[in-house]
């Protein structure tokens, strides 16, 4: 159903683009048409990843989130070096489509080899009501997280200009590579967090999430340092106009790196039955981000958009860390656990 819906949405968007192409630039029309082709491919990637994760293939289920950004960055860097020409926005969209298509192919092969035998022998059982009860809040969390992540890019267009939105969108995408290691660690940690929590092993749980947070922060800080040194050269490959996005990129990287010190705090909250608390946090932070953006972005331009994005990341991470401390009595931060911490006992009803 999701894949069919993505195709229908893509066809509708393509039809509107073709009808209005006389009223928009050639580059904008090409970008939108490329996006129409990209949408079903991205939906296919998400479905294949969900299939792998559903059969317990945690590492294989992270393939799309790791491979696609790496392919995109590699193509964006390699193509200008080979052709000697700066990339246009339409060219970037086509490279994104190429990377997504390759990623979908890899996931298809993995699904055939890893999940195929298991799915053939597994009994068919559908629990729609239970699935909706669990999936609905998770979907809402993902939606709010997506809105929060794209807040700066979305607000740049109407408050500054489309050119500013393009520049910030490019630097934000570049900075988001920092999240690759963080996301991989967090997804792998989720089943262990659930197991430790529901078995009442709180001390082990706190030690585990802190180690994950240390690993996440270490990866994020290392990548931020590399981009701090070589970021101008990387942005120059996209075109001279993108070099002006170096400072916003540094601000975005700083916010993401500091927020990564909270490690798998989102997974900790979700895996311990606090989905609606997580939704409240993301909703409140997104609303505050919108209000701040209305004042900061017109005054400071693209740097203001980066500040709003960084504050949104930091605010949500801090709120969730405090929520985990209040609800479960443990700190999900990038710091080693003391040798003899005061234990906190999970109530029997929560542990059950």
């Amino acid at each position: 159903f999701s894949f069919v819906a993505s195709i229908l949405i893509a066809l509708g968007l393509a039809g509107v683009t073709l009808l209005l192409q006389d009223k928009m630039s050639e580059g904008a029309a090409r970008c939108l048409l490329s996006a129409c082709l990209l949408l079903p491919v991205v939906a296919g990637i998400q479905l294949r990843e969900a299939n792998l994760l559903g059969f317990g293939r945690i590492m294989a289920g992270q393939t799309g989130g790791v491979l696609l950004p790496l392919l995109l960055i590699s193509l964006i860097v390699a193509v200008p070096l080979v052709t000697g020409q700066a990339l246009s926005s339409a060219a970037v969209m086509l490279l994104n489509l190429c990377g997504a298509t390759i990623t979908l192919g890899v996931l298809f092969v993995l699904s055939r080899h890893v999940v195929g035998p298991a799915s053939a022998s597994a009994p068919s059982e559908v629990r729609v009501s239970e699935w909706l009860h669990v999936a609905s809040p998770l979907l809402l969390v993902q939606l709010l997280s997506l809105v929060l992540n794209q807040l700066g890019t979305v607000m740049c267009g109407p408050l500054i200009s489309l050119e500013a939105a393009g520049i910030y969108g490019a630097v934000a995408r570049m900075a988001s590579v920092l999240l690759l290691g963080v996301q991989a660690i967090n997804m792998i940690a989720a089943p262990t967090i659930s197991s430790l929590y529901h078995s009442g092993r709180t001390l082990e749980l706190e030690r585990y999430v802190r180690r994950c947070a240390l690993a996440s922060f270490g990866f994020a800080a290392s990548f931020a340092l590399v981009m701090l040194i070589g970021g101008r050269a990387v942005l120059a490959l996209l075109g001279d106009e993108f070099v002006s996005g170096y400072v916003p990129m540094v601000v975005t990287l700083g916010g993401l790196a500091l927020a990564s010190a909270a490690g798998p705090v989102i997974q900790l909250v979700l895996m311990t039955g606090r989905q609606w608390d997580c939704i409240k946090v993301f909703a409140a932070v997104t609303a505050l981000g919108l209000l701040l953006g209305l004042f900061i972005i017109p005054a400071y331009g693209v740097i203001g958009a980066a500040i709003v994005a960084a504050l949104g990341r930091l605010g949500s991470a801090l709120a969730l860390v405090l929520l985990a401390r209040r609800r479960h009595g443990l700190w999900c931060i990038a710091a080693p656990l003391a040798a003899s911490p005061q234990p906190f006992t999970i109530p029997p009803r929560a542990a059950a």
Side-chain angles (χ1 to χ4, degrees):
F1 175 77
S2 299
F3 186 68
V4 174
S6 69
I7 294 176
L8 294 176
I9 293 172
L11 290 174
L13 179 59
V16 172
T17 302
L18 292 174
L19 287 174
L20 300 178
Q21 63 179 341
D22 294 337
K23 299 181 180 181
M24 63 180 69
S25 65
E26 183 179 355
R30 288 181 178 178
C31 283
L32 287 173
L33 291 175
S34 298
C36 295
L37 296 174
L38 181 62
L39 182 59
V41 179
V42 173
I45 291 173
Q46 297 293 326
L47 290 172
R48 286 294 173 180
E49 286 185 331
N51 188 30
L52 289 165
L53 291 172
F55 280 91
R57 311 299 183 180
I58 304 300
M59 294 298 294
Q62 307 305 311
T63 302
V66 175
L67 181 60
L68 178 55
L70 289 178
L71 282 174
L72 182 57
I73 294 298
S74 300
L75 289 171
I76 288 175
V77 171
V79 171
L81 291 176
V82 173
T83 62
Q85 297 180 349
L87 294 174
S88 64
S89 56
V92 172
M93 286 297 299
L94 286 174
L95 292 179
N96 202 344
L97 177 61
C98 291
T101 304
I102 294 171
T103 302
L104 180 59
V106 171
L107 284 169
F108 182 80
V109 172
L110 283 175
S111 297
R112 290 287 300 272
H113 285 80
V114 176
V115 177
S119 62
S121 60
S124 177
E125 183 178 3
V126 180
R127 299 180 180 180
V128 177
S129 60
E130 293 182 21
W131 180 84
L132 288 174
H133 176 73
V134 174
S136 298
L138 296 180
L139 177 62
L140 192 52
V141 168
Q142 291 296 325
L143 178 61
L144 289 171
S145 179
L146 178 63
V147 172
L148 183 62
N149 292 339
Q150 299 297 324
L151 203 56
T153 305
V154 171
M155 296 186 74
C156 268
L159 295 180
I160 309 176
S161 65
L162 291 178
E163 181 181 358
I167 292 174
Y168 180 72
V171 300
R173 184 75 174 180
M174 197 76 68
S176 67
V177 177
L178 176 147
L179 297 174
L180 291 179
V182 177
Q183 291 171 347
I185 292 170
N186 291 350
M187 288 299 295
I188 294 171
T192 304
I193 290 172
S194 179
S195 175
L196 292 174
Y197 174 78
H198 289 286
S199 61
R201 296 149 65 186
T202 313
L203 187 60
E204 293 180 50
L205 175 59
E206 183 167 12
R207 184 177 290 111
Y208 182 74
V209 295
R210 287 194 180 202
R211 287 175 179 172
C212 291
L214 282 169
S216 298
F217 181 68
F219 178 88
S222 300
F223 179 80
L225 181 60
V226 170
M227 292 303 293
L228 186 65
I229 297 172
R232 292 185 188 274
V234 174
L235 290 174
L237 295 173
L238 302 178
D240 294 336
E241 66 273 17
F242 289 96
V243 179
S244 62
Y246 174 76
V247 174
M249 185 186 70
V250 170
V251 174
T252 305
L253 283 170
L256 292 175
L258 290 175
S260 70
V265 68
I266 297 178
Q267 281 68 29
L268 176 61
V269 174
L270 294 178
M271 293 296 103
T272 54
R274 299 294 176 178
Q275 298 95 325
W276 291 106
D277 288 337
C278 190
I279 290 171
K280 292 175 184 177
V281 168
F282 276 115
V285 172
T286 302
L288 288 174
L290 286 169
L291 289 175
L292 285 174
L294 293 175
F295 297 97
I296 295 177
I297 293 177
Y300 297 98
V302 178
I303 296 178
I307 292 173
V308 170
L311 289 176
R313 274 284 184 174
L314 286 173
S316 59
L318 178 60
L320 291 173
V321 166
L322 295 176
L323 175 65
R325 175 62 182 176
R326 179 184 177 187
R327 298 295 189 186
H328 306 307
L330 54 83
W331 289 108
C332 185
I333 54 175
L337 191 62
S340 301
Q342 185 67 29
F344 177 86
T345 304
I346 298 176
R349 195 177 79 176

